[in-house]
Amino acid sequence: FYFHFFTYSKAESILTYAHTEGVNSEIMKQRTPFRDLTKDDYVKWYKNHHHHKGKGLPIYYWDDSNCNILIKNKINKFRDWLIKFVLGIKNIV
């Protein structure tokens, strides 16, 4: 695996290549504290560190059943509809 880093200039809307790092580079070791975790340990780490907390987003797991995925997809679609509905009300008021 290789990781490619870019910089983005919002003012100019320009994306510029910065550099490439290998999976075992020091920068990747610093940025991926979960890299050597087991699946179960990763799930625990993710639940404590993910940035979606409190936003009503379900967590998808690699071993979710098709039924669980369908339910989570419906939750996401309902959440999207609710946000659009609330924003629509704000625009009216």
Side-chain angles (χ1 to χ4, degrees):
F1 290 98
Y2 292 95
F3 299 90
H4 306 286
F5 291 82
F6 295 83
T7 56
Y8 177 67
S9 169
K10 189 174 181 179
E12 299 171 356
S13 293
I14 295 175
L15 186 67
T16 307
Y17 170 78
H19 62 278
T20 298
E21 297 284 344
V23 71
N24 292 319
S25 69
E26 286 304 314
I27 193 170
M28 292 313 298
K29 288 179 184 176
Q30 292 169 359
R31 293 183 180 206
T32 54
F34 46 81
R35 63 180 285 159
D36 294 323
L37 298 178
T38 65
K39 284 183 179 181
D40 292 335
D41 288 338
Y42 175 76
V43 168
K44 291 175 192 172
W45 178 88
Y46 185 79
K47 284 182 177 180
N48 290 324
H49 294 88
H50 72 88
H51 63 279
H52 301 306
K53 274 188 176 180
K55 296 196 172 41
L57 294 168
I59 300 173
Y60 290 81
Y61 299 100
W62 52 86
D63 57 352
D64 277 347
S65 68
N66 288 340
C67 183
N68 280 345
I69 292 171
L70 287 173
I71 291 169
K72 290 176 182 182
N73 287 345
K74 295 234 182 254
I75 290 169
N76 278 333
K77 286 181 182 181
F78 177 74
R79 180 184 173 274
D80 289 346
W81 174 85
L82 189 61
I83 290 169
K84 288 176 185 176
F85 179 77
V86 169
L87 290 176
I89 289 175
K90 284 184 178 180
N91 290 335
I92 293 172
V93 174

